[in-house]
Structures are given as structure tokens and as C-alpha cells.
Amino acid sequence: MIRGTLSLFPFISAYTPLSERLGESEEQLAGRFGKVHMRRPDEFVAQGRLTRIGERLSFKCDPWRITATLIDGRCEKIQCSKSGRWSKGRLSRLLQPDAGGKGWSEIDSSVPKLSRDWKRDDGATAAWRIASGLTITSSRTVKTRIRT
């Protein structure tokens, strides 16, 4: 199979919602995005304590960078970023309702050209930032951070 331009398009150009990657295994993600470029713990600091919630995998699919957090072997958070402009159409395609019919509701933003946020009824969240790209977080990750 040809990697590079063609291999990244199953998720970008085929209009597959990015949220459908939530729940995938490392093998499924690697089959979609290519080999793991970097692997490290996914940690955050809360109340002065460092907490490891999973493993962070990074993939390079020029011009995209994909980062996925796996908890218990399943993708619970995924981020895609690239340099350059993001069109409204690209965001819409990546956030269209997934196969389960779960749709996103946008939360009003005072600076939509720089920052946008969405939520789903199941507790999943999505955030787009001009400097960091689009991040989709499952409700499991949100609950994990709240509990710790």
C-alpha cells in the first residue's frame, strides 16, 4: 500500500467522522495512520499530583499530525493538527455524526475564528484551537480526569 498522501485520506478525505476513531485499538489506528512515530505516557497535573491516565501515541501523515491517547488499550482521545487554514467544511466533515448517530452541539464562542467547542449528549467533547488543531475526547477520559 502506498503511504503518504493516500494513506491519510481514509480519515480526512473520505469524510469519516474523527469521533469514530474513539474506541479503536493501537493496531486499528496504526493500520489507518501508519506506524507509531512516538510513544509516551499521557499524564496531567491536578491538585499538585501527576496522574497517568494512559498512553499517548503519535503518528505523522503529512501534512497531518495525529495524537491518540489509549486507556486500557482503546483510543479515548484523539487530536489532529496541521499547519495552515482549517475550512468550516473540514471541521464539519470531521465532526459529522458518527455511525451511532451521535451528533455534536456547538457551544457559543466569543472568538470563533480562534477557538470553537462542541459537546455530545454522551459526555464526549470536541475542541478546535487555531494553534493546536482539533481534539475529540471521549466521556471516559473526561470522567477519568474528574475522578482524580
Side-chain angles (χ1 to χ4, degrees):
M1 178 202 295
I2 298 173
R3 290 276 179 218
T5 305
L6 294 178
S7 67
L8 91 110
F9 288 113
F11 115 96
I12 300 295
S13 289
Y15 310 110
T16 303
L18 191 59
S19 61
E20 287 194 357
R21 306 292 67 86
L22 295 178
E24 288 191 342
S25 67
E26 178 177 343
E27 294 76 26
Q28 290 170 306
L29 294 168
R32 187 173 310 283
F33 303 126
K35 73 175 191 154
V36 175
H37 176 70
M38 186 170 52
R39 177 186 307 268
R40 66 178 193 214
D42 192 351
E43 303 168 322
F44 70 97
V45 177
Q47 298 175 354
R49 192 174 63 168
L50 183 66
T51 302
R52 181 177 179 172
I53 63 167
E55 185 172 38
R56 183 179 297 180
L57 307 177
S58 297
F59 303 89
K60 285 186 179 179
C61 300
D62 287 335
W64 297 89
R65 295 178 94 68
I66 312 296
T67 304
T69 296
L70 276 63
I71 300 174
D72 297 330
R74 296 286 170 204
C75 179
E76 299 293 343
K77 177 180 173 183
I78 190 161
Q79 178 182 24
C80 65
S81 60
K82 70 176 199 70
S83 58
R85 295 186 58 217
W86 283 69
S87 69
K88 287 182 182 179
R90 177 165 286 132
L91 282 172
S92 296
R93 286 190 298 273
L94 293 174
L95 288 172
Q96 57 185 296
D98 63 20
K102 298 174 187 161
W104 296 94
S105 300
E106 187 162 3
I107 300 166
D108 288 334
S109 170
S110 59
V111 285
K113 290 184 178 182
L114 303 176
S115 167
R116 296 174 70 185
D117 294 283
W118 298 264
K119 63 180 180 175
R120 271 192 338 206
D121 290 342
D122 66 356
T125 61
W128 173 81
R129 304 291 182 260
I130 194 167
S132 61
L134 179 66
T135 302
I136 297 181
T137 306
S138 74
S139 57
R140 180 176 181 189
T141 303
V142 172
K143 290 175 188 170
T144 299
R145 288 188 179 213
I146 290 171
R147 279 196 306 255
T148 55

